[in-house]
Amino acid sequence: GAVVSQHPSWVICKSGTSVKIECRSLDFQATTMFWYRQFPKQSLMLMATSNEGSKATYEQGVEKDKFLINHASLTLSTLTVTSAHPEDSSFYICLAGGPDTQYFGPGTRLTVL
Amino acid sequence: AQSVSQHNHHVILSEAASLELGCNYSYGGTVNLFWYVQYPGQHLQLLLKYFSGDPLVKGIKGFEAEFIKSKFSFNLRKPSVQWSDTAEYFCAVTPRALTFGSGTRLQVQP
């Protein structure tokens, strides 16, 4: 099956710093990337949907100025957590593809101290 | 808006017992339905999916699910569970982005 990678796989940062997470589709073109967040012992919650070359659509309650999403190419989308705080500590997962064919990235564990 | 409900939050079974996990969705249009599994410390893995056709779908590791349109349900079943099936199971639905249920933690005791 198709492969989606995320980098870094885990990151620890200080409160107030920004963290960039990359999601790459390695062997297919992902016109749509979805970003999810999973808190411990909870389900995946959709944060935003991005289409290549256009602005991301954020779910209700997700701050677009805090979670910057860029989908500049068909193989790369980035999520930047700006001015991270401990409550942003979570597991961030990208989903590349579309409604009928989608592939998850392995996820990025973010810990904000 | 579409939503997914998983009523069983935590299920404990003995090995060889039969499993059925409930999943109901709310959406009036055509949907695609999925079951994912997340083993401890690992990322999501697709178990099976339904797009159209035979409402009884067979997936990996002996799992199957039945789509009952009139009940808006897509329950996951396995005739005989193993200790290695201990994991978190998520039901999900499109047509927009994948919307996940809250998950069911399955614990299989040897």
Side-chain angles (χ1 to χ4, degrees):
Chain A
V3 178
V4 177
S5 70
Q6 279 185 242
H7 177 80
S9 55
W10 59 270
V11 57
I12 301 173
C13 69
K14 291 182 179 180
S15 185
T17 60
S18 295
V19 175
K20 180 186 283 188
I21 302 170
E22 294 185 348
C23 175
R24 293 181 185 272
S25 56
L26 300 182
D27 56 358
F28 72 102
Q29 294 183 329
T31 54
T32 305
M33 292 274 200
F34 303 93
W35 284 96
Y36 290 84
R37 179 168 53 183
Q38 184 180 29
F39 290 107
K41 300 187 186 298
Q42 294 187 28
S43 186
L44 282 75
M45 299 301 295
L46 179 66
M47 298 175 67
T49 304
S50 72
N51 293 299
E52 185 265 338
S54 62
K55 288 184 178 180
T57 302
Y58 291 81
E59 296 298 302
Q60 193 172 12
V62 178
E63 300 174 58
K64 62 180 182 180
D65 294 329
K66 180 172 182 62
F67 299 98
L68 303 179
I69 292 173
N70 183 282
H71 191 171
S73 78
L74 289 171
T75 60
L76 173 65
S77 177
T78 60
L79 167 67
T80 301
V81 183
T82 62
S83 186
H85 289 95
E87 58 265 29
D88 299 323
S89 297
S90 187
F91 192 56
Y92 292 86
I93 309 169
C94 69
L95 176 66
D100 293 340
T101 304
Q102 64 289 118
Y103 302 96
F104 279 101
T108 296
R109 172 78 58 194
L110 170 63
T111 301
V112 184
L113 302 177
Chain B
Q2 63 198 49
S3 66
V4 182
S5 297
Q6 290 182 245
H7 305 295
N8 314 105
H9 299 294
H10 188 191
V11 174
I12 302 174
L13 295 173
S14 299
E15 276 194 313
S18 64
L19 169 72
E20 180 159 3
L21 301 182
C23 173
N24 288 90
Y25 66 93
S26 62
Y27 183 74
T30 302
V31 294
N32 299 324
L33 297 151
F34 306 80
W35 274 98
Y36 285 88
V37 60
Q38 189 173 32
Y39 297 103
Q42 297 187 29
H43 62 274
L44 288 167
Q45 181 179 354
L46 180 65
L47 272 179
L48 48 80
K49 60 186 178 183
Y50 172 81
F51 288 170
S52 63
D54 188 343
L56 186 60
V57 181
K58 294 191 182 300
I60 62 172
K61 303 178 188 274
F63 286 92
E64 64 177 32
E66 184 175 12
F67 170 53
I68 302 179
K69 189 175 181 180
S70 60
K71 295 185 178 180
F72 296 88
S73 70
F74 190 56
N75 292 356
L76 180 70
R77 298 195 292 249
K78 186 170 184 178
S80 176
V81 296
Q82 301 172 320
W83 177 80
S84 57
D85 293 323
T86 295
E88 190 91 17
Y89 292 81
F90 296 95
C91 180
V93 60
T94 57
R96 202 170 65 87
L98 269 174
T99 300
F100 285 85
S102 54
T104 297
R105 183 178 167 218
L106 172 64
Q107 187 177 346
V108 180
Q109 297 176 333

